[in-house]
Amino acid sequence: MSKELLISLILGTFLLGCVLLGLVQTSLLSSPFFLLFGFAIILGQIVMAHLAFNQYKNLSVQTTKESTKNEEGREERGSDGFDD
């Protein structure tokens, strides 16, 4: 599991906890620290989810290219003719 995905899941858990805490204790919603903390969690979640998705997308495209090369019967070799 990539570190971006792991951080995104942790931030998502914190976000869910903040939402539930805000529903239970409505007096926290007037606190600027709580609102700023929630806003920072939301921004972090968006950024880390974006990075995790890009990493997954690049990995899946790379795997697709490798499987296409293998299906065509080409082998990857160096220019000197020896396998690395």
Side-chain angles (χ1 to χ4, degrees), residues 37-76:
F37 183 73
F39 184 67
I41 292 289
I42 289 172
L43 284 180
Q45 169 67 18
I46 290 171
V47 169
M48 294 311 287
H50 179 71
L51 290 174
F53 177 74
N54 281 344
Q55 188 175 24
Y56 172 76
K57 186 173 69 171
N58 290 339
L59 181 65
S60 64
V61 169
Q62 190 177 40
T63 306
T64 306
K65 287 180 182 178
E66 288 174 0
S67 64
T68 305
K69 286 181 183 179
N70 291 338
E71 289 174 2
E72 293 175 357
R74 285 190 250 157
E75 295 180 8
E76 294 183 29

